[in-house]
Amino acid sequence: MRIVIIGGGVMGSALAWWLLRDLAFSGELVVVERDPSYRQASSALSASSIRQQFSIPVNIAISRFGFAFLRRVDGLLAVDGEAPALSLLERGYLILAGERGESVLRANHEVQRAHGVEVALLAPDELRARFPWLSVEGVALASLGLSGEGWFDGWALLQGFRRAAIALGARYLTEEVVAGERRGSRAMAVRLASGERIAGDIFVDAAGPWAGRIAAMFDLELPVEARRRCVYMFETPEPPAEAPLLVDPSGFWCRPEGRGFICGRPPSPEEDLPDLPLIAEDRFFEEEIWPHLAHRVPAFERLRLHSSWAGYYAWNRFDQNALLGPHPEVENLHFMAGFSGHGIQQAPAIGRGIAERILHGRYLGLDLSPLDVERLVAGRPLREQAVI
Ligand SMILES: Cc1cc2nc3c(=O)[nH]c(=O)nc-3n(C[C@H](O)[C@H](O)[C@H](O)COP(=O)(O)OP(=O)(O)OC[C@H]3O[C@@H](n4cnc5c(N)ncnc54)[C@H](O)[C@@H]3O)c2cc1C
């Protein structure tokens, strides 16, 4: 059997590793990755944080598995005794809601508690007592993750999967897929920019923000597009100690990183256009983020912007959730796409799930079927309420 994975980011590489360590696999595994420096790949530009505070049980289960995986990564992904230096830090997300967001926060809390998440709702006075550096003005309620949340080095995770997959026999080709060949309900081959044709038995679209373009090469429509998200890094003379990852009702998120902090916020819907150049504009930070940061954390009034970068979310226009598994119209073309900003934490679980689906025809561990790409065709969205 020959499996061809298009895209060797964290998803494609996680899948390659899970496939090759499964005894049911025999044959050849090719990962076509056009840029081994990953300059524009989401996995290299991610804020790499992991949370359990989702609104949908399957996303909660995926992250719970992910966190357990990250904790054990040394034993799992070490090659020649060298494990990826993930620097996993366990620190909760603190999600603040104003009056308008309070009912959603409470509804999410119910789902999370029912699925074993350790999470606490805090009223403004409890919040003030616990985080004295925070202004609670305009906050009706907060939700704090008590375990299984935090952040890590996403680049190290990507490289860890990639190195471990290569050690097991994955062949990474530095090539660009430029066309697909399909006969009826089967994908037959991909064409590379070099002119080479690679035939295969199974194909996987793991092309991140460009997954929609790969789908189109097989005459399929996938509502996934590249939406720019900017990250700003700053330092401040008196940083709040032991800060969690903060999500503000105004839309910004912020968390410690090294000696400073990183932060970002989604642009307005009118400005959120596909394929914008990967440039983080200082103006956006100064006008749209800083005033809110300084309002929420007065110590941030004296911050100094240090650096910035921009990366693409693989935005799923349909329902902002992963699109997984074989396409109903092309049975041997699997998708790992549309992660809409929460993919890096999902890579361990989704890599395993898609490997099971390919090799065993069904999910053996976590049931990821609510995320089947088939829901697109059925017109049945599964909307995630907690998109950051
Ligand atoms: C600013 C930012 C912050 C984020 N924060 C978080 C977070 O805190 N937590 C979280 O869980 N997630 C976060 N994410 C999302 C997360 O990083 C992604 O969901 C995840 O990295 C997706 O991995 P991927 O492998 O699907 O995509 P990618 O890493 O983009 O990999 C896709 C690969 O496909 C290759 N490719 C594309 N087209 C072709 C082609 N035609 N031929 C050959 N190769 C091709 C590309 O070169 C690329 O390397 C964030 C993303 C961004 C941009």
Side-chain angles (χ1 to χ4, degrees), residues 7 10-11 33-34 42-43 46-47 49 177 209 312 341-345:
V10 76
M11 282 296 165
E33 169 53 58
R34 65 185 171 194
S42 308
S43 306
S46 182
S49 310
V177 170
Y312 291 125
H342 45 266
I344 208 152
Q345 64 196 288

Side-chain angles (χ1 to χ4, degrees), residues 50-53 67 89-93 145 147-151:
I50 176 163
R51 61 185 156 114
Q52 299 192 19
Q53 294 183 65
F67 202 86
L89 192 67
E90 185 165 9
R91 202 74 80 72
Y93 275 55
S147 75
E149 297 190 328
W151 46 91

Side-chain angles (χ1 to χ4, degrees), residues 12-37:
S13 297
L15 172 62
W17 180 76
W18 281 107
L19 281 167
L20 288 164
R21 69 197 295 276
D22 193 317
L23 295 177
F25 178 76
S26 71
E28 194 192 350
L29 180 67
V30 181
V31 182
V32 188
E33 169 53 58
R34 65 185 171 194
D35 177 16
S37 75

Side-chain angles (χ1 to χ4, degrees), residues 231-235 257-263 285 303-309:
V231 181
Y232 300 89
M233 193 168 209
F234 65 86
E235 290 182 357
E257 173 70 28
R259 291 188 311 133
F261 288 80
I262 56 172
C263 67
F285 175 77
L303 66 78
R304 195 164 53 86
L305 189 59
H306 185 277
S307 51
S308 59
W309 74 84

Side-chain angles (χ1 to χ4, degrees), residues 202-223:
I202 301 278
F203 294 84
V204 182
D205 180 352
W210 305 276
R213 294 189 195 167
I214 301 296
M217 293 178 193
F218 291 94
D219 295 327
L220 295 173
E221 206 192 318
L222 195 76

Side-chain angles (χ1 to χ4, degrees), residues 216-359:
M217 293 178 193
F218 291 94
D219 295 327
L220 295 173
E221 206 192 318
L222 195 76
V224 173
E225 57 193 30
R227 299 271 188 101
R228 182 175 73 190
R229 292 294 179 270
C230 302
V231 181
Y232 300 89
M233 193 168 209
F234 65 86
E235 290 182 357
T236 190
E238 290 170 31
E242 299 283 303
L245 189 153
L246 183 64
V247 184
D248 193 68
S250 65
F252 80 74
W253 60 268
C254 171
R255 71 157 171 85
E257 173 70 28
R259 291 188 311 133
F261 288 80
I262 56 172
C263 67
R265 77 170 287 179
S268 66
E270 306 78 61
E271 286 181 313
D272 198 9
L273 304 171
D275 298 312
L276 292 177
L278 284 183
I279 298 164
E281 289 158 5
D282 286 0
R283 179 203 59 81
F284 186 71
F285 175 77
E286 281 153 17
E287 292 173 10
E288 308 290 339
I289 302 182
W290 190 12
H292 299 286
L293 275 174
H295 170 252
R296 187 59 65 210
V297 182
F300 287 164
E301 261 166 35
R302 294 197 290 147
L303 66 78
R304 195 164 53 86
L305 189 59
H306 185 277
S307 51
S308 59
W309 74 84
Y312 291 125
Y313 273 14
W315 190 256
N316 165 0
R317 285 196 311 269
F318 184 61
D319 61 6
Q320 292 84 60
N321 253 322
L323 294 160
L324 304 181
H327 196 280
E329 288 170 29
V330 186
E331 62 207 21
N332 61 337
L333 175 59
H334 289 247
F335 286 92
M336 309 171 84
F339 298 102
S340 306
H342 45 266
I344 208 152
Q345 64 196 288
Q346 299 197 323
I350 288 179
R352 182 179 73 157
I354 300 300
E356 291 168 352
R357 196 76 189 262
I358 290 173
L359 298 176

